[in-house]
Amino acid sequence: SQKIDKLIEKIKYYENKILSLSKDFEDLHQFRVNIRKLAALLKTFGICEKEKIKNISQYLKLTNKKRDI
């Protein structure tokens, strides 16, 4: 769906900004927000298996410490 494609595009955009060592905390925030939106959309419509949604959500765990700084 277009909504899923748009979310993935946003996630990749913010991921690239973070990996390029952006110091803008909004980049990390938007990365996390869009991951949560994608996981919720996939879960709500049963688009993929729960295990894959858990894998997507792992990105949130990996960025928790950075978020809290």
Side-chain angles (χ1 to χ4, degrees):
S1 108
Q2 289 180 346
K3 181 71 173 174
I4 292 171
D5 292 342
K6 189 70 169 172
L7 286 170
I8 291 171
E9 184 179 311
K10 286 180 179 182
I11 291 167
K12 287 180 180 179
Y13 172 78
Y14 288 110
E15 178 185 39
N16 285 333
K17 289 193 78 167
I18 292 165
L19 293 175
S20 70
L21 304 178
S22 169
K23 300 217 186 274
D24 187 349
F25 288 108
E26 185 64 21
D27 294 334
L28 178 60
H29 174 70
Q30 289 301 318
F31 176 74
R32 293 173 53 82
V33 164
N34 285 290
I35 288 174
R36 284 194 305 271
K37 285 181 181 180
L38 178 61
L41 185 66
L42 296 174
K43 183 178 178 181
T44 299
F45 293 103
I47 296 173
C48 74
E49 303 162 5
K50 286 183 182 182
E51 191 60 37
K52 289 185 181 181
I53 294 171
K54 285 182 185 178
N55 289 341
I56 292 169
S57 297
Q58 285 290 60
Y59 282 102
L60 297 175
K61 288 181 183 176
L62 291 171
T63 58
N64 275 344
K65 285 185 181 181
K66 185 72 171 174
R67 175 202 63 192
D68 293 337
I69 291 177

